[in-house]
Structures are given as C-alpha cells and as structure tokens.
C-alpha cells in the first residue's frame, strides 16, 4: 500500500476548510490529518505530528499564516498558503512556502500544491537520512568505543592487516575492520576504492594520473590498475 500523507488545514472560514477537505479526499496519497479555525490549535497539532503538510490561510485573526510559517521554520514541514489575496504570494515564497493557492481553491491547484509539498518533504527526509547514514560508531581495538564519526568528513582510508585507518583533515582513527567490510553498506558515501589498501573521498581529489591520485591536501595515494577504469567511469560525464 502506498504511503498516505496527512495534511493539516488552518482557516478561519469553515467553508474553506470544508472545500479543501473535500478536494483532498479526492486525491490519492493524501488525507486530512486535522482541520481547525483556531491557528494556535493548528500550530500545536502540526508540531505534535498530527499532519506532515500544512495548508493555511494567510490572514487569520490572532495568528496569521506568515507568523505560523516563521514558527515552523527549521521543522522541515512543507507549508502551502491558501489565500484570497495574491499580494501575499511573494511573502509566502520568501518564507520558502511550498506553494501558493489563490482562493477559491480548485482540485487542480490543490493537487499540484500537495504533490509539490510531498516532493519537498521527501527531499528533506532523504537529506536527514543521509546524515544519519553517514554517522558511524567506532569499533576500535577494545571493541565499540562509543565514539562517533561522520563518514563524509573522511579524507581517505588506509588498510593494514585487519585495521583500517580513517584519515581526517587534522586527525585519524583506527577501526578493527577490513577496508572491504568498512565500505560495505555505506549508502551515502563519497568514499571510492582506488587501491586494494586505499579508498579516497572523491570530492577531495585534486589530480589523477596513471598510477597516483593527489588529494587537495597534497597527500599522494596509489591508484591500482584494477580500480582505474571505475574511477574513469565516474568522471566520464564530468569532463570539461
């Protein structure tokens, strides 16, 4: 079953809430999580997770939609403004609104708005996932040490026996693992194997020649023959 996204509705006009609710009921993948004429109640509900996307009017007594948007800044919750006053559209987009619907709301515009908000939400979730996937606990010689590292900050990896050294800009860590096992399962990593004993952060490559890679910190890393073709493939569509 496809995921259903819950939508919160805030508008001081009951008729507008009814209209939006009826339209959302006709759009697959979305359902009304809550609807209210009280902006403070709506703000509380969206912050408590009763909906993932918010549609709000701009002009509301006591707490307007623009103020609601400011209070939700940094939460990753996509906001759609629905107003009879198109002069607020610019202000909405300046606050990074996902969409602006001009009242009265019609099916086509609400559908476009919700699908735009969904893409924005999924992009935000993916970025958050990337951050979580990059964080790893160190498994040092004494077992799990409790220390965490961000894989994206690694400059290069170097394997010796069953220990892999993680080289950072100003530090290095030692992990009890083969290079193969360390790289296995990293979903959002810029680390690319370039030698049986080395992997490098591909974003930090300064120069590539036939047998050697120079990183931006001028560290020289050997380039194995069997890994050269894969590296060339990566850069094949990035040649100026």
């Amino acid at each position: 079953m496809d995921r259903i996204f819950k939508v919160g509705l805030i508008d001081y006009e009951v008729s507008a809430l009814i209209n939006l609710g009826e339209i959302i009921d006709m759009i697959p993948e979305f359902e009304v999580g809550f609807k209210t004429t009280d902006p403070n109640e709506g703000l509380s509900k969206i912050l408590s997770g009763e909906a993932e996307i918010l549609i709000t009017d701009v002009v509301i007594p006591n707490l307007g939609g623009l103020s609601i948007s400011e209070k939700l800044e940094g939460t990753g919750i996509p906001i759609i403004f629905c107003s009879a006053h198109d002069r607020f559209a610019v202000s909405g987009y300046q606050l990074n609104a996902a969409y602006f619907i001009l009242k009265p709301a019609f099916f086509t515009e609400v559908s476009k708005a919700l699908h735009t908000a969904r893409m924005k939400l999924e992009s935000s979730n993916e970025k958050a996932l990337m951050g979580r996937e990059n964080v790893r606990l160190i498994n040092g010689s004494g077992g799990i040490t409790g220390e965490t590292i961000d894989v994206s900050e690694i400059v290069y990896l170097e394997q010796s026996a069953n220990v892999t050294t993680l080289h950072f800009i100003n530090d290095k860590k030692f992990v009890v693992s083969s290079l193969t096992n360390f790289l296995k399962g990293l979903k959002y990593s810029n680390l690319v194997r370039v030698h049986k004993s080395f992997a490098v952060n591909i974003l930090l490559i300064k120069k590539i020649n036939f047998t050697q890679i120079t990183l931006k910190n001028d560290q020289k890393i050997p380039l194995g023959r069997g890994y050269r073709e894969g590296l060339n493939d990566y850069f094949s569509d990035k040649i100026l």
Side-chain angles (χ1 to χ4, degrees):
M1 180 178 177
D2 291 335
R3 179 183 172 188
I4 302 297
F5 294 85
K6 291 185 177 295
V7 185
L9 305 177
I10 303 174
D11 200 304
Y12 72 99
E13 295 179 323
V14 174
S15 59
L17 292 175
I18 294 173
N19 181 43
L20 285 169
E22 290 176 346
I23 292 173
I24 292 171
D25 286 342
M26 294 187 288
I27 305 174
E29 303 174 37
F30 301 95
E31 67 179 22
V32 176
F34 69 84
K35 54 185 174 181
T36 179
T37 58
D38 183 338
N40 289 293
E41 178 188 2
L43 180 61
S44 176
K45 285 179 177 292
I46 192 74
L47 286 173
S48 65
E50 293 190 30
E52 302 162 277
I53 298 169
L54 179 65
I55 301 180
T56 178
D57 198 347
V58 178
V59 180
I60 310 175
N62 300 320
L63 184 66
L66 297 179
S67 296
I68 291 173
S69 178
E70 290 175 349
K71 292 180 182 297
L72 293 178
E73 187 175 357
T75 64
I77 298 170
I79 300 172
I80 298 166
F81 288 116
C82 184
S83 174
H85 308 283
D86 57 3
R87 68 179 184 275
F88 290 116
V90 173
S91 298
Y93 287 121
Q94 286 175 340
L95 288 170
N96 203 26
Y99 208 92
F100 186 94
I101 300 171
L102 187 63
K103 286 183 177 181
F106 292 98
F107 177 89
T108 301
E109 283 301 295
V110 174
S111 180
K112 285 181 181 179
L114 289 177
H115 284 91
T116 299
R118 184 197 69 188
M119 288 189 290
K120 188 172 183 177
L121 181 63
E122 289 174 339
S123 175
S124 176
N125 289 342
E126 183 177 349
K127 289 177 182 177
L129 178 62
M130 288 173 66
R132 290 196 296 273
E133 286 291 339
N134 271 339
V135 175
R136 290 290 185 273
L137 277 171
I138 291 291
N139 179 17
S141 57
I144 301 297
T145 65
E147 182 179 7
T148 63
I149 56 98
D150 186 338
V151 177
S152 66
E153 295 179 354
I154 296 173
V155 178
Y156 71 97
L157 301 171
E158 180 180 7
Q159 178 184 316
S160 178
N162 68 330
V163 174
T164 295
T165 304
L166 286 55
H167 294 267
F168 299 88
I169 294 177
N170 297 312
D171 194 13
K172 60 184 176 181
K173 309 287 183 185
F174 302 94
V175 175
V176 179
S177 170
S178 67
L179 184 56
T180 298
N181 286 337
F182 186 89
L183 292 172
K184 190 182 299 181
L186 292 182
K187 294 182 180 179
Y188 301 105
S189 175
N190 293 315
L191 295 170
V192 176
R193 196 162 190 166
V194 296
H195 186 275
K196 65 179 182 179
S197 301
F198 290 90
V200 303
N201 186 333
I202 204 160
L203 298 180
L204 298 179
I205 293 177
K206 178 180 180 181
K207 183 179 180 181
I208 303 172
N209 63 28
F210 195 68
T211 61
Q212 184 175 263
I213 291 172
T214 303
L215 298 176
K216 290 184 178 180
N217 63 354
D218 291 325
Q219 175 71 40
K220 310 293 184 183
I221 304 294
L223 175 58
R225 180 183 300 176
Y227 301 92
R228 191 179 303 124
E229 184 176 345
L231 195 60
N232 288 340
D233 287 344
Y234 178 87
F235 286 105
S236 63
D237 62 344
K238 300 175 177 65
I239 299 174
L240 298 177

